[in-house]
Amino acid sequence: MIFILSVIFPALLAQPPLKCHDVFTYKQRVLGQLSRRVTQSSYEIIDNDFGFNVSAFLSPSGELRLTLYLSDPKEHIRSHLNGHKLFDQIIDHFGLLNIKSILGVWNQNSVNFRQYQLALLSGFDPNSAALKTWTAVQAKRYGFTKVNYLQVYQVNITGEWVSLVEFVRE
């Protein structure tokens, strides 16, 4: 896992603080238009009219890295882009059998991080708390029901708290 942190850490420092579901290394903003880029190893849709974008990348080892960003969750409900439907499209795009794990990296402003913290405060152990998040709920629908790796750390330069969690099949 040291390799993953060495790849993620510099990218996290380069990112502005986001209000988002999951944070990873890729972020793009296209003003006022729907932008779609799909390749064998990536899937990106950006709709700034609704302040929404999704970016997913599948590594050669089968690790799915996912970013869902929305500027206003209420607007997201009215949008034709819907988080769980996009999650389904991403799984379909890469093929469930090609995905070995789902990696979530959540900053302290994300919905997942807040859900994780609330579950901890409610008495859940760290792994169980991670399974109470939006990403975990989506991942569980596809059989990724186990937390394989979990780390919460503070980025020294920014002071921001970040959670890194990997979901796998049992």
Side-chain angles (χ1 to χ4, degrees):
M1 285 302 160
I2 293 172
F3 171 73
I4 291 174
L5 289 175
S6 69
V7 172
I8 293 171
F9 188 75
L12 285 174
L13 294 179
Q15 298 295 324
L18 298 174
K19 177 180 167 187
C20 63
H21 285 300
D22 294 316
V23 178
F24 197 68
T25 57
Y26 300 94
K27 179 79 179 96
Q28 176 189 11
R29 294 188 175 136
V30 179
L31 298 175
Q33 62 182 338
L34 180 66
S35 171
R36 174 174 278 195
R37 290 188 297 173
V38 178
T39 69
Q40 187 175 0
S41 62
S42 69
Y43 186 97
E44 297 179 276
I45 299 175
I46 297 124
D47 184 346
N48 281 327
D49 290 338
F50 288 100
F52 187 98
N53 77 48
V54 61
S55 300
F57 301 90
L58 185 65
S59 75
S61 64
E63 178 185 79
L64 178 64
R65 294 170 265 177
L66 177 68
T67 301
L68 287 171
Y69 169 84
L70 29 103
S71 59
D72 181 358
K74 292 176 187 166
E75 198 65 37
H76 161 68
I77 292 169
R78 293 186 288 266
S79 171
H80 61 284
L81 297 176
N82 176 299
H84 76 271
K85 289 179 183 175
L86 284 169
F87 195 96
D88 294 343
Q89 289 175 16
I90 289 164
I91 298 295
D92 289 344
H93 172 72
F94 293 119
L96 184 57
L97 296 177
N98 296 319
I99 301 169
K100 306 302 180 220
S101 66
I102 298 174
L103 179 68
V105 181
W106 310 322
N107 75 7
Q108 66 190 22
N109 299 318
S110 72
V111 169
N112 279 301
F113 192 87
R114 287 193 301 270
Q115 290 172 330
Y116 174 73
Q117 293 297 319
L118 286 172
L120 287 174
L121 290 172
S122 297
F124 289 95
D125 65 84
N127 284 359
S128 297
L131 290 169
K132 299 289 183 190
T133 63
W134 184 91
T135 299
V137 169
Q138 303 312 310
K140 283 190 256 184
R141 294 188 302 123
Y142 290 96
F144 296 90
T145 58
K146 180 182 175 191
V147 174
N148 186 51
Y149 180 82
L150 173 66
Q151 182 180 6
V152 179
Y153 59 94
Q154 191 171 22
V155 179
N156 290 335
I157 295 172
T158 64
E160 179 179 43
W161 285 94
V162 175
S163 292
L164 174 65
V165 62
E166 179 184 37
F167 300 101
V168 295
R169 294 182 189 99
E170 288 196 62

